[in-house]
Amino acid sequence: MRGAPVAGHRMRAEIAEQPDRWLDLLDARASIDAAAELIASQRPELLVFAARGSSDHAAMYAQYLAHNLLRIPAMLATPASVTGFGTQLAFPRSVALAVSQSGSSPDLLATVASIAAADVPVIAFSNDPGSALAGAADVHVSLAAGPETSVAATKTYTAELLALALTLHRAAGTGWPELDERVRRIAASVAADLAAPSAVDAAVAALSGVDRVIVVGRGYSMSTAREGALKLMETNAIAASGWSAADATHGPLGQVVPGSVVVALTGSPAGRDSVLSFASAAAALGARVIELGPGLVDGAAVHLPLDERDDELLPLREIVPLQRIALELALGRGLDPDNPAGLKKVTLTV
């Protein structure tokens, strides 16, 4: 007779398979090239990213990439403008990139329909080629992540990061040989990290009994700050928040008291000084600082080594330790991160 499933086994397995799923995405180059060609042929004055939840964090990363690779403005759509106010926007020459793991959230679909009604071509990124979002798009890029059954998104989130990065790089003219090499290198690095002893246990111990966590980053690491905080929140029912280190200084620093935990993301050179400054200020107030990066925070309670040289793909490698921490912390608290209380795998917001 088969025993009861072990709590967290789905999330653990889905975290572990991420490097392989990234390699699978390299085989989706036909649809990625079609998406890139649509962007290049339109010569847009604006890119519009439509997403919710974890997908919104991936879109935030892509917004930075669009600025840096294509040198054009990029914005995050506001679905409530459509579903709450019924507003039909007029766009300059634009391309929309809609990002959703399931491709089925009503407010995202309504937003995409409104964008398409303004004669803006739509590229969809989802893990379901048969989804309503895929059917509504001019081009669909499959995330190629395979079934994801844990409520907490892991492999679909990093697949979104990579699919967006590959599309924008191809639109900017980066060749496939270079992209192949870069993706294979980072996949091998993460696979090695997953197979080796790490400081994850020390980070979990530092978070034990804590009910508030601040995660801070800048630039490409902003997506990691938001997504890492979300993983801690949804799997552990703790008040975690992700911030730009610059914004955090204006308010969230005020919630730091002795024993608070701050996760400082120092891997990205862009804005790193402000992350270090915030970490120092938090430590002076009595916070325990967990550094994820090259080891630049003096007196950090825990250091999770990460010396990633590919700044543009950093969020792929950076989020995995935070996923693992969320998993192990939840198990240590007697929770099942595969099935957090009150949450569902697909959230149908309107």
Side-chain angles (χ1 to χ4, degrees), residues 36-45 47 93-95 119-121:
E37 175 58 27
L38 190 155
I39 295 172
S41 66
Q42 291 291 315
R43 300 180 65 247
E45 300 168 318
L47 292 184
R93 190 171 65 251
S94 305
V95 173
D119 293 324
V120 175

Side-chain angles (χ1 to χ4, degrees), residues 45 79 104 160 207 294 314:
E45 300 168 318
S104 59
E160 287 175 337
L207 286 161
L314 172 67

Side-chain angles (χ1 to χ4, degrees), residues 87-91 109-122 136 138:
T87 303
Q88 176 64 54
L89 298 179
F91 294 89
L109 294 172
T111 301
V112 168
S114 176
I115 291 171
D119 293 324
V120 175
V122 176
D138 295 278

Side-chain angles (χ1 to χ4, degrees), residues 118-129:
D119 293 324
V120 175
V122 176
I123 301 167
F125 299 80
S126 81
N127 203 37
D128 181 1

